[in-house]
Amino acid sequence: MEAYIYDAIRTVRGKGNKKGALIGVTPTELARQTLTALQAKHQLDTTLVNDVILGCVGQVKDQGANIAKSAAQASAYGDHLCGVTLNRFCGSGLESMNQAAAYIKSGFRDLIVAGGVESMSRVAMGSDGAGMFIDPTLAIPGNLVPQGISADLIASKYGYTREATDAFAAESQRRAAEANAKGYFKSRIAIQDQNGTDILTTDENIRPGTTAASLASLPPAFQMMGAMAGFDDVALDKYPEVETLHHVHHAGNSSAIVDGAAISLIGSEEAGKQMGLKPRFKIRTAAIDGTDPTIMLTGPAPATRKALKQAGMNIGDIDLIEVNEAFSAIPMLFMEEMGIDSSNVNVNGGAIAMGHPLGATGCMLAGTLMDELERRDLNTGLVTLCIAGGMGIATIIERV
């Protein structure tokens, strides 16, 4: 049985700080508005939806107590609608889609809403305690370091300079600004207040006119942390072939902290007939892969290779690729390892420009990819993300 994607919707992304436009909007409300927009767009018979699966990394405070069920209850889809919240760190939004697809393929469910949500202005990273990183019985034997140190370790090991990482970031901003101006983000919705007035209509972090030269003045974000807390020594002890840790990442070439939500509608062929909807894509395959937890962020390439092998494909069979821009070095390493250039990778920019709302990003990337494949009249796409703790996730979709 095939698992079809009937649609995908995401919110605009607001800056994840006290000055961000969406700080007054709860994460439940962010998710609710996507659900409401989906129903209104298709005049969806909500009794057909079996479940809501949402990724969310910081499952405390406003995001605690199973936010997927909270969103389902707030959506007015009906009391029958269940919800489950999962956490595969940065891969959560894509993992929710993959789990939904597995349910559909097994026949256990007929129609599922899957996606993710994260309000980083209201629930800061690490608010859940993050035992993996603060418990010495885990962190010390695992040689665990903060992700920014891992990103700088990748740059140092593979020779990505400050100039190269800044150039990548500037191009992400340029591509995102152009796509935004040309209206390419078809799956994006504005966020409104309780009176139906728009609060935010565009991704708040896009900075048109950003150049590598303008980024050059920004101070390294992780240099002091690496030196004073000893994380540089931990990384270099694990990777002695790296003589010096070069701290090349900063606020301008790392993913922006933002608020946002995204959902997709995934179901069987029969569910589509009941809804009167034609599927846009099918999920052809999905894979995860574990990597060394010190360097941590190298998972996209091995996860992609596994997904390609499962599908009987090679990287040349993929028309467009979305690689999450957690830090500049991540997609740069992915392209080097896969032997490709940037011509079909993150063609409309990425998280450096628009932001990375942890639990939602994977689903956001899938929606962006679907829109762009259709716009260019292409067929196959890949979404992949690095994941904290040393994991990678990849999903291949195919146009119907």
Side-chain angles (χ1 to χ4, degrees), residues 78-127:
D79 291 342
H80 74 285
L81 187 56
C82 297
V84 61
T85 308
L86 59 83
N87 180 7
R88 198 186 286 282
F89 296 137
C90 298
S92 299
L94 190 59
E95 176 66 23
S96 69
M97 296 180 68
N98 294 345
Q99 288 198 20
Y103 272 124
I104 301 302
K105 286 175 174 287
S106 72
F108 287 177
R109 304 280 193 279
D110 299 311
L111 189 64
I112 297 174
V113 169
V117 62
E118 207 82 34
S119 176
M120 301 179 78
S121 64
R122 300 173 69 97
V123 184
M125 283 190 294
S127 295

Side-chain angles (χ1 to χ4, degrees), residues 12-341:
V12 291
R13 285 173 266 200
K15 291 182 178 180
N17 56 43
K18 293 181 179 180
K19 296 181 179 179
L22 301 182
I23 190 172
V25 183
T26 68
T28 297
E29 178 62 14
L30 291 174
R32 185 199 70 80
Q33 291 197 28
T34 62
L35 288 161
T36 300
L38 179 70
Q39 192 283 326
K41 180 178 179 180
H42 299 291
Q43 294 301 299
L44 180 66
D45 179 358
T46 59
T47 64
L48 298 174
V49 182
N50 306 140
D51 206 356
V52 175
I53 306 175
L54 291 183
C56 184
V57 177
Q59 295 183 31
V60 293
K61 301 179 181 178
D62 284 343
Q63 295 176 168
N66 191 2
I67 192 171
K69 177 54 182 171
S70 297
Q73 182 173 325
S75 71
Y77 272 41
D79 291 342
H80 74 285
L81 187 56
C82 297
V84 61
T85 308
L86 59 83
N87 180 7
R88 198 186 286 282
F89 296 137
C90 298
S92 299
L94 190 59
E95 176 66 23
S96 69
M97 296 180 68
N98 294 345
Q99 288 198 20
Y103 272 124
I104 301 302
K105 286 175 174 287
S106 72
F108 287 177
R109 304 280 193 279
D110 299 311
L111 189 64
I112 297 174
V113 169
V117 62
E118 207 82 34
S119 176
M120 301 179 78
S121 64
R122 300 173 69 97
V123 184
M125 283 190 294
S127 295
D128 58 353
M132 178 188 295
F133 303 103
I134 64 173
D135 182 347
T137 65
L138 291 170
I140 294 173
N143 294 99
L144 292 174
V145 296
Q147 285 190 23
I149 303 296
S150 297
D152 285 340
L153 176 59
I154 290 172
S156 302
K157 179 176 172 62
Y158 294 95
Y160 305 138
T161 65
R162 170 68 185 259
E163 291 76 18
T165 52
D166 281 356
F168 182 93
E171 178 63 8
S172 178
Q173 288 282 0
R174 188 197 68 77
R175 291 182 179 191
E178 180 179 348
N180 188 53
K182 292 182 176 180
Y184 289 169
F185 299 126
K186 299 295 185 183
S187 62
R188 185 177 65 184
I189 62 169
I191 288 297
Q192 300 178 330
D193 64 16
Q194 60 186 2
N195 298 314
T197 301
D198 287 344
I199 299 173
L200 185 64
T201 60
T202 191
D203 296 307
E204 196 174 14
N205 197 70
I206 297 176
R207 298 186 298 276
T210 299
T211 65
S214 68
L215 294 174
S217 63
L218 296 176
F222 309 105
Q223 186 170 17
M224 184 178 295
M225 175 194 299
M228 296 186 66
F231 290 124
D232 283 5
D233 293 335
V234 174
L236 294 174
D237 182 63
K238 186 68 175 289
Y239 287 86
E241 69 273 23
V242 179
E243 294 184 3
T244 303
L245 203 62
H246 300 290
H247 291 285
V248 302
H249 290 99
H250 52 79
N253 62 18
S254 306
S255 56
I257 293 171
V258 293
D259 304 335
I263 59 170
S264 59
L265 184 63
I266 300 176
S268 64
E269 182 179 9
E270 181 59 32
K273 292 178 180 177
Q274 288 182 281
M275 293 184 291
L277 293 178
K278 292 182 178 180
R280 294 173 62 188
F281 287 81
K282 66 179 179 181
I283 295 179
R284 183 157 176 177
T285 194
I288 55 171
D289 199 75
T291 64
D292 169 48
T294 303
I295 204 164
M296 194 185 302
L297 308 174
T298 58
T304 293
R305 292 191 193 102
K306 187 179 289 186
L308 290 169
K309 183 177 180 180
Q310 289 172 183
M313 303 172 72
N314 60 60
I315 195 66
D317 297 322
I318 304 296
D319 293 319
L320 293 178
I321 300 169
E322 289 288 329
V323 187
N324 188 38
E325 296 174 358
F327 303 89
S328 284
I330 310 310
M332 293 172 72
L333 176 62
F334 175 83
M335 289 186 289
E336 180 178 338
E337 291 194 319
M338 299 306 298
I340 58 177
D341 61 29

